[in-house]
Amino acid sequence: DAGVTQSPTHLIKTRGQHVTLRCSPISGHKSVSWYQQVLGQGPQFIFQYYEKEERGRGNFPDRFSARQFPNYSSELNVNALLLGDSALYLCASIETGGSYGYTFGSGTRLTVV
Amino acid sequence: GQQVMQIPQYQHVQEGEDFTTYCNSSTTLSNIQWYKQRPGGHPVFLIQLVKSGEVKKQKRLTFQFGEAKKNSSLHITATQTTDVGTYFCAARAAGNKLTFGGGTRVLVKP
């Protein structure tokens, strides 16, 4: 059974551009969350989706948006990229009602130049 | 908002020695989770603690939740080179949002 998969693994973008990151959760997991991890820091919560609805949003500007599809995969979109958006973007899924932890994907390393 | 602090930020350990990393919150936590992130990797779930005073063990790792549910600790005995990485505690809030601490970066000297 595949784990959480994310694409692309690495990405280089120019300031002002737009980026779309993709995530497929573990089969059967309906909840997907996105986290931003700046080098040397802990992951910061961006969004949580469950059954295609936004269930939580972190302290990020409106340039960040996300959605979840009927197959529970998800996209994270970031507009008007800034240098400070350079980070590892992690997607995580969890079993509904599960008392266990999140399973994280390997992440997308975004570099904004 | 909820904040979770971890100390120390860095831990240099001689192989074979023990060490402890601590996680503190100013508010009462409903639960605490611990993750390990290897260099260049992603966080991997280790354990969740829910009950006041709870103690759980995984081989050489011992996790504890404080009586007031405001702090937690991870103790590793007989450190090995495979223990290298960053250990994060994370408070799980309603809606499955995780608030991570800053992590303790563990380096092992052979």
Side-chain angles (χ1 to χ4, degrees), chain B residues 38-59:
Chain B
R38 294 182 183 275
H42 57 277
V44 174
F45 174 72
L46 296 176
I47 211 156
Q48 175 170 277
L49 304 172
V50 177
K51 300 176 183 177
S52 169
E54 188 171 14
V55 178
K56 288 188 176 180
K57 292 188 177 183
Q58 288 181 350
K59 298 182 180 178

Side-chain angles (χ1 to χ4, degrees), chain B residues 3-34:
Chain B
Q3 286 191 328
V4 178
M5 309 292 196
Q6 280 187 257
I7 53 170
Q9 187 176 358
Y10 295 93
Q11 183 77 56
H12 295 246
V13 190
Q14 192 73 41
E15 191 173 12
E17 290 186 343
D18 303 351
F19 75 91
T20 302
T21 176
Y22 300 91
C23 179
N24 299 295
S25 170
S26 58
T27 60
T28 302
L29 304 171
S30 58
N31 61 70
I32 194 85
Q33 297 184 355
W34 285 88

